Amino acid sequence: MTSSPPRVRPLPQAAHQVAARLLALVDEPGTAGVPYRIDWADPVDLPLADERSVQAACGLMEVHGRAAGRPTPLAVDYAATVAGVLAAQGVCAVLLGRLAGGDPARVRTSVSRAALFSVTQYLAAATATGDGTEQECGRKRRSAEHGGHRAFVTADGVAFELEALDAERWLGFWQRLGASRTALRDGWTPFQQRFATATCPLPQELHRLVGGLPYATISAAAARSGADVLPVRQDPAPGETPRPWTLGPVGGGTAGPGHGTAWAGPGGKHAGGGATWAKGGITRAGDGIARAGGGPAGAGPLPLAGVRVVESTRRVQGPLAGHVLRLLGAEVVRVEPPGGDPMRGMPPLAGACSARFRALNDGKTVVEADITTAAGRRTVRELTGDADVFLHNWAPGKAARFRLDAEDLCAGRPRLVHAWASGWGDLLGPAPPVGTDFLVQAHSGLAAAVRPAHETPVPSLMTLTDVLGGLVCAQAVLAALLVRARTGRAVRVDSSLLSAASVVPRPRTRAHWGPWDRPLATADGHLWLADAARRLPDRVADVIGADAATCADALATRMSEATTAEWTARFARAGLTAVPVCTDLARLATDPRFEAAVERGGADPGAAPGTADRNPAGPGTVNPERPGPSTAASSTAAPGAAAPGAAERGSGSPGSNGYVRPVTPWEFL
């Protein structure tokens, strides 16, 4: 009898490599004195010990594969990359917590926590109890019926990605190419909502149309209509390799990268960091990081307690950065236009607000201000007058045009961290294409990297760079707060979707997949055979039969003869790990194996939602239950009785528990 192999789980090397790279850029030797740990599964109660198993169990395969109608792996270590960023954030947060008088000792995260965090919005939408859930299910079915998401390919063989952020540009682009009114009508809604649904069942007429035209014609139509098109890079290696972020003093210059070491606990090579950190050394009044003392390890305030962040952001990248800072303990004040962010009305709803919106914005205080007016800009300046961080993801040049750039705001707050989360940074010149997730995936090579070699490169409709962009921006803000603590000066922070995409480790060539590199369809679902099991082909053959182990058709037939649970048990009896693939995020939320990994979203436990502690622009209306506009395209609804530029409310709904979210992705011990 063959003995079972030892159950030794390898370290998530990709996650540690990403964390090491980011901590080297922080330029704080003290980071080497903060131990951190990255697990595979914790707190998910499943035997997860490799990237693809985590993707299978935690919903990444489900979301990425929606457009194709079947769960599909990402061909890069995406969950491990997110885990590495989370670990670096945790290390920096520990240092900031110590500086403020607390005593956090170390931080812990996991690849499974990272995977669940990356599908936060999709999990919220799948578990929302309000209007719109059934419509989303219908979109998933239609996506499969239309053949899934595929690249636009021109007559001269150029695969390209299209972006049109409003209906006027969409219509202008396709009308110039000769599309029918029916195709324009049927295509706009799934195209507009693909960021939220991860599906895009476009009429086949549109693909046939561009297939008969050269790319030069396509590009000219985009230029005349205000849409944007970019060729999809065929090489998985990034065309540019920008640093994940840059820090610089306000008024010019750029801080160079550091040379920190990632995993060196007390007594390690750089234990203590070689830096002199005064206990409570930044507790001066007005610094925004002041707090008294600290309780026992793991029981005291969160590391960023006392930090005040003002954000003026939209969509995913910017709100997610603010969400991360809030989860670390910061107070976040969100500036929204009069009537509220249009995304509040996007279905499905959780209570009176979009579940997706709430997933990234619950717990933030909201001030409505029209920054196109002098009064609105004055509100922003007053809000940042005692803030630690101002965060925005406006279009290039907008901050300078409104005189809300770093030099402008730091004149009134000389220690402000001014962070811009852009699409492209400055690498594509002063007038780049619109900086959205899918265009960045196309241009950066990530679209090629996430799919196997036999498929035409096309961006994943899971918002990979939006999530990473928000995480990298938050990490850059943490690094800037450490620089400010050392220098006492304001810091300018620049990060982008493109720079975040470069954080993902890439293969030199695109992956070549066989039948075992996709989830196996069972009688009632899908199953993923773990990496360790696939390294024992003889034992796998004993379970499924020798014919099925060598023939893809026989494998498909054999797997369909039993349920996922039955196959999981058979593999387990042979000492092999097989992971059930999550094909419905709503079911994941009620799976007892995920009980410690997710929680019901509702009122922020740290504050009374809807309670305003200040309102610099004058008295406003506090109304946390107030819904957003009825559709995502509407942004003109009047804010009830709110004073223009001054309505303030909490983002959460105190009585609503209408969606599920992942637990906080770090443990501070």
Side-chain angles (χ1 to χ4, degrees):
M1 173 181 270
T2 304
S3 61
S4 298
R7 292 180 176 270
V8 177
R9 296 185 180 180
L11 291 174
Q13 292 183 356
H16 282 279
Q17 290 169 358
V18 169
R21 179 189 175 194
L22 298 186
L23 289 172
L25 293 174
V26 173
D27 198 19
E28 291 292 344
T31 58
V34 180
Y36 67 86
R37 177 174 171 178
I38 306 174
D39 298 317
W40 278 110
D42 178 74
V44 176
D45 187 18
L46 283 169
L48 307 177
D50 62 78
E51 168 76 23
R52 304 301 177 266
S53 292
V54 171
Q55 289 188 22
C58 297
L60 270 69
M61 288 189 185
E62 190 273 316
V63 177
H64 173 58
R66 281 182 188 178
R70 61 181 183 274
T72 305
L74 292 160
V76 295
D77 292 334
Y78 184 78
T81 298
V82 173
V85 182
L86 291 171
Q89 291 171 347
V91 169
C92 293
V94 165
L95 287 180
L96 289 165
R98 292 175 182 175
L99 285 168
D103 58 357
R106 58 193 184 277
V107 65
R108 177 182 179 184
T109 188
S110 73
V111 181
S112 292
R113 286 177 184 261
L116 292 169
F117 192 77
S118 70
V119 296
T120 293
Q121 287 198 100
Y122 304 103
L123 179 62
T127 56
T129 56
D131 295 337
T133 305
E134 289 303 315
Q135 293 93 314
E136 179 158 317
C137 294
R139 280 192 292 268
K140 294 181 188 178
R141 290 191 294 269
R142 289 195 298 274
S143 184
E145 293 166 2
H146 281 243
H149 180 56
R150 58 191 179 93
F152 289 116
V153 182
T154 64
D156 46 352
V158 178
F160 70 91
E161 184 67 18
L162 165 69
E163 188 59 88
L165 293 181
D166 56 56
E168 183 178 356
R169 297 178 188 186
W170 166 267
L171 291 171
F173 174 76
W174 288 110
Q175 286 174 343
R176 284 174 170 81
L177 299 180
S180 70
R181 296 183 64 180
T182 299
L184 294 178
R185 181 196 62 208
D186 293 346
W188 168 240
T189 296
F191 181 83
Q192 179 197 33
Q193 296 182 353
R194 71 199 192 285
F195 287 93
T197 64
T199 63
C200 190
L202 294 178
Q204 294 304 307
E205 176 190 329
L206 302 182
H207 286 279
R208 290 193 297 269
L209 183 62
V210 299
L213 298 170
Y215 182 71
T217 300
I218 302 296
S219 181
R224 289 194 294 269
S225 64
D228 288 288
V229 294
L230 281 177
V232 179
R233 185 176 173 83
Q234 304 294 301
D235 187 344
E240 300 90 0
T241 54
R243 293 193 303 178
W245 67 81
T246 58
L247 307 181
V250 174
T254 301
H259 301 282
T261 304
W263 172 248
K269 182 177 180 182
H270 294 293
T276 302
W277 296 106
K279 191 78 167 179
I282 52 173
T283 58
R284 294 183 295 275
D287 282 349
I289 312 182
R291 66 167 181 264
L302 288 169
L304 295 193
V307 173
R308 187 177 181 86
V309 177
V310 176
E311 72 165 65
S312 179
T313 64
R314 58 194 300 264
R315 294 184 174 270
V316 177
Q317 175 193 22
L320 189 143
H323 178 56
V324 167
L325 297 172
R326 189 190 70 82
L327 290 177
L328 288 169
E331 174 197 2
V332 180
V333 179
R334 179 173 168 78
V335 179
E336 294 186 13
D341 191 314
M343 301 303 289
R344 288 178 172 271
M346 175 171 281
L349 302 182
C353 187
S354 167
R356 293 187 182 90
F357 183 89
R358 286 192 57 191
L360 299 185
N361 293 293
D362 267 4
K364 301 175 182 177
T365 298
V366 176
V367 174
E368 291 183 357
D370 182 357
I371 62 172
T372 66
T373 68
R377 294 191 290 274
R378 183 169 58 252
T379 295
V380 173
R381 285 190 289 270
E382 291 174 349
L383 286 171
T384 58
D386 63 353
D388 298 280
V389 178
F390 178 67
L391 165 65
H392 74 88
N393 64 342
W394 299 333
K398 185 174 181 179
R401 187 167 67 253
F402 288 153
R403 301 194 68 179
L404 297 174
D405 207 348
E407 287 78 5
D408 304 306
L409 293 182
C410 291
R413 176 62 166 160
R415 292 172 52 83
L416 185 70
V417 170
H418 188 285
W420 179 35
S422 68
W424 303 101
D426 59 1
L427 288 177
L428 271 65
V434 61
T436 57
D437 187 293
F438 305 139
L439 285 185
V440 171
Q441 284 193 50
H443 178 79
S444 68
L446 189 58
V450 300
R451 299 186 186 276
H454 68 275
E455 295 183 6
T456 300
V458 61
S460 170
L461 291 185
M462 179 178 169
T463 51
L464 302 178
T465 66
D466 269 340
V467 170
L468 267 180
L471 287 164
V472 168
C473 177
Q475 168 61 23
V477 168
L478 295 171
L481 287 170
L482 287 169
V483 170
R484 187 189 75 162
R486 186 178 69 244
T487 66
R489 298 176 181 174
V491 184
R492 179 194 294 272
V493 178
D494 291 298
S495 65
S496 68
L497 298 181
L498 182 62
S499 69
S502 71
V503 174
V504 181
R506 312 282 182 86
R508 293 185 177 181
T509 59
R510 298 179 68 199
H512 292 270
W513 283 1
W516 294 99
D517 293 309
R518 293 186 182 276
L520 304 172
T522 66
D524 64 347
H526 289 80
L527 194 70
W528 179 261
L529 200 60
D531 287 355
R534 289 193 284 170
R535 288 193 288 268
L536 299 168
D538 291 343
R539 190 172 298 182
V540 171
D542 290 341
V543 176
I544 64 174
D547 58 335
T550 57
C551 174
D553 292 339
L555 173 63
T557 300
R558 188 66 41 77
M559 295 300 297
S560 67
E561 295 172 354
T563 66
T564 300
E566 290 169 342
W567 278 118
T568 302
R570 292 180 190 180
F571 280 113
R573 286 194 294 270
L576 301 173
T577 299
V579 179
V581 179
C582 171
T583 55
D584 184 348
L585 289 176
R587 292 182 181 178
L588 178 151
T590 59
D591 189 327
R593 295 167 296 188
F594 286 82
E595 183 178 3
V598 298
E599 62 187 10
R600 180 64 58 177
D604 179 40
T611 301
D613 64 347
R614 64 195 292 276
N615 191 341
T621 300
V622 177
N623 185 2
E625 289 280 9
R626 183 180 163 285
S630 59
T631 68
S634 171
S635 60
T636 59
E648 187 167 347
R649 62 173 179 267
S651 293
S653 297
S656 172
N657 289 318
Y659 73 102
V660 169
R661 62 191 177 198
V663 298
T664 301
W666 317 268
E667 286 184 275
F668 294 98
L669 307 169

